[in-house]
Amino acid sequence: MLPLITTIPAFGQNSVDATATASTTYPLNIPAKPLAAAIADLGASSGWRILYTIQLAPDMRSRPLNGNYTMAQALAQLLAGTGITYRITGAKAALLIDPSQSRAGPVPSSTDGVQLDTIVVDANRNDNTTGSGYQGTPDWVYQRPAAVSVISREAIESSPTRNARDLLDNVAGVYANRSAAQNPGISVNIRGLQDQDRIATMIDGARQNFQRSGHGATQRTYVDTAFLRQIDVEKSTTSGVGSAGALGGLVNFRTFIADDLIKPGNQYGGVVNATTGTNAYNFDGSTAAAVRVSERFSVLGGVSYKNIGAYDIGKNGTIGGGTTAYDGNVFLFSGQEVFSTILKAEALTTEDVKMTIGWLHNDSRYNTGNYDNTIARGGILKSSEQVANDTFTSALDWNPGNDIVDLKAKLYYNHLKNDTVSDGAFALTGPSNFVFSTLGGSVENTSRFHTMLGALAFNYGLEAFSDTGKTTLQRGFTGANGVDYSSTLTGGTPSGNRDVASGFGTATLKPAEWVTLIGGMRYDWYHIAGMTTIYGARQEIIGQLMTNPGRPAICNARGCGAAVPPTYVPIYGTVYRPYDLDVDKSGGAWLPNFTIAFQPVDWLQPFIKYSKSYRPPTVMESFLNGGHDANEINGYAPNPFLRPERGDTYEAGFNVLANGILTERDTVRFKAVGFYREITDYISFGYIQNAQAASQYQSYVNLNGVTRMKGVEIEANYDARFLYIGGTVTRIDTDFADSFTSPTGRDTPINSGLGAAVIFEQPKLRVTLDAGIRLFDEKLTLGARVVDVSKTVPALGSLRSGYEMPGYRVYDIYGSYAFDEATKLRFAVNNVTDLAYAPAVGANFYAAPGRTATVSLNYKF
């Protein structure tokens, strides 16, 4: 007996289903493709279970669907010319039948009990991880009325990278900060916002909130590309899971599931990747495999190792900012060694409940530093770094098949430890480590109703997480008075705790097939409590020593003589008086958002959106102490009056999703979004006066006035199979508030010398163009890409010096050849012209790699 194949809705779909009747229509955009994949798309888009026990030949292709269809109309067109028919067997259930295959058996009804050999649940077989959009972007991106982007598995596999952050540079509106270029941690910049949880960064929905102060970006995520199935990017906040405590959007690095590795009908499957290349691209290899232990239980595991050396920068052009980071043409300490593992288990505990647990481990080792000719030992300043990042996730999905319950719950724990050992002039306080952990979870449910006003879906739930940061030094620092000041020698990365919780709800109404109304509300709340220590002004005299005790007055019959006072000499030293500060802050805000989308014709969807966001201060901002120098203990202090940031974002855009324009198989995908954002109480660096210590400190402050950002983002692709051309355009203008209230109570510009603001700005314009051809039945792909970036001139704060970035234009070529369905060879040459340039949103003295050629072999079994 053949196994029964069934499709069910893909995880995370935001479609609104009407009652499950044959007259319900669905907006569908499914190009002609292999029939099995098209059936999976139809099930995912509509929420129907489409069952079949028949054989589907690999070369059997579907007819395209583009428009609004009932299920009967959709199946009739999808199956036209294949000889396969269908029957509607119940509510949201259909069965495919091939009259020529006698083994198809009787047609089960929605209530039949059918004994089956094997049940293959194909919900995520085509889980919208790839499609016809730019670099394989799935089609749902061009159906959702929002500023969203996806880096598909196709894009991840086709672009061998030194670091996962390289993938983000191809997304409209997004950059990866490279101001700390020797550090492989990823700091995402979306629409000019980054660091301090302004952008929520996650792995499989688990927050990655680690922060460490330094010369550049402060927030870093450590993840390798080996086990990534997709990267989701949301460029503004939502009333849903993931946006709590964020100001400007979110990035979710999603890892493999078992169905990514196991082919339909198989019990096991896997993938092996190996990459090597020139310019110190030594080796990047991984293997991952999954086993379906039973019909209800599967396990997945994988291991990855990457060894990348210090690279040569380009030879054509010049790099500003001096040469202290280079040994000849080699960028010092730009290599890394990364070891990663993944382990997951998926179980169907009942017919409608799925549980998933996972563990992702990343061990990154690298060095940071530069030359300093004023010191001995070869003039090298070096810090050896090791980062161990562990992300534990568990998820429960309960979908009993009715319209009231579609529940998803998640619990996660992230623990990151960064050990650092410094030598040279850096070795002031000995080895230290920075630990940051986040415990969080969420629960949400979606209920669907058919009302007189139209189809209504209501998503509601709770989300919360707790951050704990701990910075320690393995060797202390003791002052002249014998006091151990080690707790403050954190370099601006303090210890502390923060809790964030959020309740939310979103209603989606379709009063007509061509109109979608979305309204949401969330309430975000935070609490920060703990103790931190600061020290008062430096004092030179710490005591006095009595050198002569003196003598009292001597009295006799003739009277009393004069007393001789004692004699003292001062004792000099360095003393800082400690002050314990009790930090206890909390607050909350109501955050509405709404979206209106239209679909006047099948291929066009204009939309507008408004969202309000709220970002409470982080552990770093709330408990700041110590100082910039590792031996400076009284430079920083918390600001007890620090307020959360608040944002208002307005967006307008449109989607185009069309098929069969010039040929039967070609596709057009287009998304354009314009945005305008206002931020009040933007947090930056300035000065405060601490009344208790009677001293002035550097601290985080709220900028006065309004910070404004506006821009346009375009993503487009035309694919005719034998050729394709696509690209992105990012245009942005920023106007940061430029002053804060100084200790004197005056409105002080942050460029006055009292301000030490570190504000990264995106270049005004970036254009990416990607085109290629497919030959020999699409076995051979040849492509080229050009990226043109305008200059960056920071207008504010300390980044005005050393962070002015010249514009640049970089060319890449790439290709692949599929020997068969299992084996593919990929090759690429990045920076073909060997240009010397510094990547945008970085430092002008940290150059990108010069010309680099790579070759990769991918084998699936």
Side-chain angles (χ1 to χ4, degrees), residues 72-238:
Q73 293 169 337
L75 286 171
Q77 181 162 329
L78 195 73
L79 301 171
T82 65
I84 297 174
T85 61
Y86 68 91
R87 288 189 187 177
I88 305 297
T89 60
K92 283 191 171 182
L95 181 74
L96 304 188
I97 306 166
D98 186 349
S100 66
Q101 295 185 21
S102 60
R103 292 187 296 174
V107 178
S109 71
S110 59
T111 59
D112 284 341
V114 183
Q115 183 176 356
L116 304 169
D117 290 340
T118 306
I119 298 177
V120 180
V121 180
D122 203 28
N124 295 302
R125 176 65 53 201
N126 191 45
D127 185 28
N128 292 331
T129 58
T130 190
S132 301
Y134 175 65
Q135 293 189 337
T137 298
D139 287 349
W140 68 262
V141 171
Y142 307 97
Q143 295 172 306
R144 184 175 170 189
V148 295
S149 293
V150 164
I151 301 172
S152 69
R153 181 61 190 173
E154 176 183 323
I156 295 170
E157 290 182 337
S158 300
S159 303
T161 59
R162 292 178 182 268
N163 187 282
R165 64 188 174 198
D166 299 337
L167 297 168
L168 295 165
D169 291 331
N170 294 325
V171 180
V174 179
Y175 288 84
N177 185 284
R178 288 179 173 79
S179 59
Q182 296 165 327
N183 190 321
I186 303 169
S187 178
V188 184
N189 185 302
I190 298 180
R191 294 176 172 177
L193 294 178
Q194 70 172 66
D195 291 334
Q196 305 295 348
D197 289 344
R198 292 186 177 94
I199 305 300
T201 309
M202 299 171 284
I203 297 176
D204 287 333
R207 295 284 185 128
Q208 308 289 305
N209 291 349
F210 173 76
Q211 295 178 358
R212 179 180 169 185
S213 186
H215 292 156
T218 58
Q219 186 166 359
R220 296 159 192 170
T221 297
Y222 293 85
V223 62
D224 198 14
T225 59
F227 309 125
L228 294 181
R229 69 193 305 255
Q230 181 172 303
I231 305 174
D232 297 337
V233 180
E234 179 90 44
K235 301 168 192 175
S236 60
T237 56
T238 68

Side-chain angles (χ1 to χ4, degrees), residues 559-682:
C560 294
V564 178
T567 304
Y568 297 91
V569 295
I571 299 176
Y572 291 91
T574 301
V575 173
Y576 302 89
R577 183 177 176 183
Y579 297 90
D580 290 332
L581 299 183
D582 186 8
V583 179
D584 192 342
K585 296 183 290 184
S586 62
W590 291 99
L591 308 171
N593 72 77
F594 65 82
T595 300
I596 303 175
F598 304 94
Q599 194 144 10
V601 292
D602 292 342
W603 52 270
L604 177 65
Q605 183 191 51
F607 62 88
I608 59 174
K609 179 184 177 182
Y610 164 79
S611 59
K612 181 178 284 290
S613 55
Y614 176 83
R615 186 190 72 85
T618 61
V619 168
M620 180 182 293
E621 293 168 326
S622 300
F623 297 95
L624 184 70
N625 66 354
H628 175 273
D629 192 303
N631 270 349
E632 182 184 2
I633 67 173
N634 68 338
Y636 298 150
N639 180 358
F641 307 107
L642 194 64
R643 300 181 299 276
E645 297 175 342
R646 299 173 185 264
D648 293 274
T649 303
Y650 305 84
E651 297 171 286
F654 63 92
N655 292 317
V656 173
L657 192 153
N659 304 316
I661 307 303
L662 301 177
T663 71
E664 186 181 77
R665 300 178 62 191
D666 68 355
T667 60
V668 171
R669 303 291 183 263
F670 190 97
K671 180 185 282 286
V673 180
F675 71 92
Y676 173 74
R677 174 177 286 151
E678 291 187 345
I679 301 170
T680 57
D681 290 328
Y682 190 94

Side-chain angles (χ1 to χ4, degrees), residues 188-351:
V188 184
N189 185 302
I190 298 180
R191 294 176 172 177
L193 294 178
Q194 70 172 66
D195 291 334
Q196 305 295 348
D197 289 344
R198 292 186 177 94
I199 305 300
T201 309
M202 299 171 284
I203 297 176
D204 287 333
R207 295 284 185 128
Q208 308 289 305
N209 291 349
F210 173 76
Q211 295 178 358
R212 179 180 169 185
S213 186
H215 292 156
T218 58
Q219 186 166 359
R220 296 159 192 170
T221 297
Y222 293 85
V223 62
D224 198 14
T225 59
F227 309 125
L228 294 181
R229 69 193 305 255
Q230 181 172 303
I231 305 174
D232 297 337
V233 180
E234 179 90 44
K235 301 168 192 175
S236 60
T237 56
T238 68
S239 291
V241 172
S243 288
L247 185 69
L250 60 90
V251 177
N252 190 15
F253 295 88
R254 297 173 57 194
T255 61
F256 283 152
I257 61 175
D259 281 336
D260 293 324
L261 303 176
I262 304 175
K263 297 178 182 179
N266 289 357
Q267 285 190 302
Y268 64 90
V271 61
V272 178
N273 290 290
T275 302
T276 188
T278 63
N279 200 4
Y281 200 118
N282 300 328
F283 179 75
D284 183 4
S286 65
T287 182
V291 177
R292 201 176 304 282
V293 180
S294 69
E295 297 175 358
R296 294 181 176 273
F297 182 70
S298 61
V299 294
L300 178 154
V303 60
S304 168
Y305 176 73
K306 175 183 288 186
N307 186 309
I308 306 293
Y311 58 75
D312 285 338
I313 68 173
K315 296 181 176 61
N316 299 315
T318 58
I319 296 297
T323 60
T324 59
Y326 301 95
D327 181 4
N329 212 44
V330 177
F331 180 12
L332 283 173
F333 310 129
S334 56
Q336 58 187 284
E337 186 176 20
V338 181
F339 177 77
S340 301
T341 56
I342 187 173
L343 184 64
K344 278 189 179 182
E346 304 171 28
L348 287 172
T349 57
T350 67
E351 293 293 340

Side-chain angles (χ1 to χ4, degrees), residues 725-762:
I725 182 170
T728 65
V729 177
T730 300
R731 167 74 192 194
I732 186 171
D733 290 283
T734 57
D735 182 16
F736 281 95
D738 59 1
S739 67
F740 67 99
T741 300
S742 70
T744 63
R746 297 178 179 177
D747 192 26
T748 302
I750 62 176
N751 289 339
S752 65
L754 285 177
V758 178
I759 298 177
F760 288 95
E761 297 183 42
Q762 289 190 2

